Amino acid sequence: KQEVTQIPAALSVPEGENLVLNCSFTDSAIYNLQWFRQDPGKGLTSLLLIQSSQREQTSGRLNASLDKSSGRSTLYIAASQPGDSATYLCAVVLASNDYKLSFGAGTTVTVRA
Amino acid sequence: GAGVSQSPSNKVTEKGKDVELRCDPISGHTALYWYRQSLGQGLEFLIYFQGNSAPDKSGLPSDRFSAERTGGSVSTLTIQRTQQEDSAVYLCASSSYRGLDAGELFFGEGSRLTVL
């Protein structure tokens, strides 16, 4: 069974600081990995999707890396803003079971103005 | 609409009643997923549809839960004889399952169910 762990569970930083969010998974035979953002009381917003053949994806201030062999992904958010405050979740899909996402518990980020 | 649409956004019901939750996926998306998010818990997979077929129903918590999808589009999740432990946010997602972004999931805003 795929286990997905996100560390830290919560993070508080001053505005302008770079954010580093970690995600690890136990089964490296993944199909893809996806990072989501969830605001309180809202659904999930897709941030970045990394296919198994890729090593990173970038979108604006966001950059996500993927190291399949070590079972790790890192989400970097540059020059954080108060609007970045949310819970960030990573999810992986196994290559052998390419429809079921296994989610981490998330990292709750607070960016202080 | 452009995104995944879910209704109702909020539902309060009495224990023992049946409820239906609706999901309207992004047009053209063949894959549709239901997840449940309980307070303080992670996301729990419930069921997946490819077209109108549900290859995997193993995530449904009990036989009180059922789901169907018609016309390869709208899906309904039905919970019979609701229990208090069914209280959660039920999230629906869809995916194009093809192309460069195949497998990227797009979620709706969820249906918050409260069973009294």
Side-chain angles (χ1 to χ4, degrees), chain B residues 38-85:
Chain B
S38 303
L39 189 63
Q41 305 281 326
L43 274 88
E44 175 187 11
F45 169 82
L46 297 179
I47 190 169
Y48 154 78
F49 287 93
Q50 182 59 252
N52 291 335
S53 301
D56 186 350
K57 302 178 183 180
S58 63
L60 295 176
S62 75
D63 58 8
R64 296 186 294 105
F65 287 71
S66 63
E68 65 175 12
R69 189 180 186 194
T70 56
S73 181
V74 173
S75 175
T76 302
L77 177 68
T78 301
I79 309 172
Q80 295 179 309
R81 304 181 302 282
T82 52
Q83 303 293 313
Q84 289 182 331
E85 62 262 28

Side-chain angles (χ1 to χ4, degrees), chain A residues 31-32 34 36 38 40-49 51 54 89 93 97-105, chain B residues 33 35 37 41-45 48 55-56 58-59 91 97 99-110 112:
Chain A
Y31 182 73
N32 63 39
Q34 197 166 354
F36 295 90
Q38 186 174 32
K42 300 290 188 179
L44 277 68
T45 300
S46 176
L47 297 175
L48 291 166
L49 170 71
Q51 303 289 356
Q54 298 174 320
L89 298 128
V93 176
N97 191 10
D98 62 353
Y99 53 81
K100 191 183 300 186
L101 266 71
S102 296
F103 280 87
Chain B
Y33 309 77
Y35 283 82
Q37 188 173 35
Q41 305 281 326
L43 274 88
E44 175 187 11
F45 169 82
Y48 154 78
D56 186 350
S58 63
L91 292 162
Y97 213 66
L100 286 176
D101 293 323
E104 183 174 11
L105 263 66
F106 297 88
F107 279 82
E109 292 292 311
R112 181 177 298 277

Side-chain angles (χ1 to χ4, degrees), chain A residues 37 39 61 81-86 88 111:
Chain A
R37 168 186 173 137
D39 292 287
R61 294 183 294 111
Q81 304 168 358
D84 295 328
S85 299
Y88 292 83
V111 180

Side-chain angles (χ1 to χ4, degrees), chain A residues 4-99:
Chain A
V4 182
T5 304
Q6 290 188 246
I7 295 173
L11 186 60
S12 179
V13 300
E15 183 176 3
E17 192 165 300
N18 296 332
L19 289 164
V20 180
L21 308 179
N22 297 299
C23 173
S24 62
F25 44 94
T26 53
D27 189 336
S28 62
I30 65 169
Y31 182 73
N32 63 39
L33 182 146
Q34 197 166 354
W35 282 94
F36 295 90
R37 168 186 173 137
Q38 186 174 32
D39 292 287
K42 300 290 188 179
L44 277 68
T45 300
S46 176
L47 297 175
L48 291 166
L49 170 71
I50 310 177
Q51 303 289 356
S52 62
S53 59
Q54 298 174 320
R55 293 192 63 87
E56 69 174 348
Q57 280 286 351
T58 298
S59 176
R61 294 183 294 111
L62 275 62
N63 174 276
S65 65
L66 174 63
D67 184 342
K68 271 180 52 178
S69 61
S70 66
R72 293 179 184 176
S73 177
T74 303
L75 177 67
Y76 300 90
I77 304 177
S80 61
Q81 304 168 358
D84 295 328
S85 299
T87 297
Y88 292 83
L89 298 128
C90 75
V92 298
V93 176
L94 283 176
S96 61
N97 191 10
D98 62 353
Y99 53 81

